[in-house]
Amino acid sequence: KDMARVETHAHKITPFLWYDGKAEEAARFYTSIFENSEILGISRYGDAGPGAKGSVMTVTFTLDGQRFIALNGGPDFKFNPSVSFFISCETQSEVDELWEKLSAGGEKSQCGWVQDRYGLSWQVVPSMLLDLVGDKDAAVAQRVMQAMLRMTKIDIAAIEKAAAG
């Protein structure tokens, strides 16, 4: 593929992720997890650097149709949970599968959050949860919020039970 075209004709807003030498590995990991995902192109450092000539500079890829660019930028910056990717899931099996795959080699946290092996944070959340925590019945919203705050991986049946009272 024409690398210049891949890099410059992206969506108007494209998440740009900084890695320390693992951009291609991370992109391949993510595209193996999500459907409708692929590596679109890889660009390499040339004589001007700053990376070693021929080494991967950027990887352009899609996850479920959303374009991303991963950069091998070096050790200067690390991910932190102040930025995360929210994954809206329809079923408990989808929550379970993504939770396990994304947390493998990383860390599981509270309220559906995981940090993958590269340090990137993800929120694996059933779509119905947002509706329930914003329910017009304040008692329902409160019970759901209290239940969610006690969870690591979100359990849809427990959330539904809390909503019902």
Side-chain angles (χ1 to χ4, degrees), residues 37-144:
S37 301
E38 66 178 323
I39 303 289
L40 298 175
I42 297 174
S43 66
R44 299 186 179 277
Y45 285 107
D47 290 328
K53 182 178 181 178
S55 67
V56 172
M57 180 173 66
T58 63
V59 181
T60 303
F61 61 103
T62 61
L63 298 180
D64 196 20
Q66 168 65 51
R67 187 179 300 249
F68 290 80
I69 299 173
L71 168 73
N72 278 330
D76 297 331
F77 301 108
K78 304 282 186 235
F79 295 119
N80 71 61
S82 68
V83 173
S84 63
F85 291 106
F86 186 94
I87 308 166
S88 183
C89 300
E90 296 307 313
T91 65
Q92 188 66 52
S93 62
E94 185 181 14
V95 169
D96 295 348
E97 179 183 357
L98 291 172
W99 176 266
E100 291 307 318
K101 286 180 177 179
L102 287 167
S103 66
E107 294 181 27
K108 298 172 181 175
S109 190
Q110 292 299 113
C111 305
W113 289 61
V114 298
Q115 192 173 63
D116 69 31
R117 65 185 75 165
Y118 306 102
L120 190 59
S121 292
W122 301 81
Q123 296 178 59
V124 183
V125 180
S127 56
M128 49 72 78
L129 180 62
L130 290 181
D131 293 334
L132 290 172
V133 295
D135 197 280
K136 61 185 171 211
D137 182 336
V140 169
Q142 183 65 24
R143 288 192 306 268
V144 168

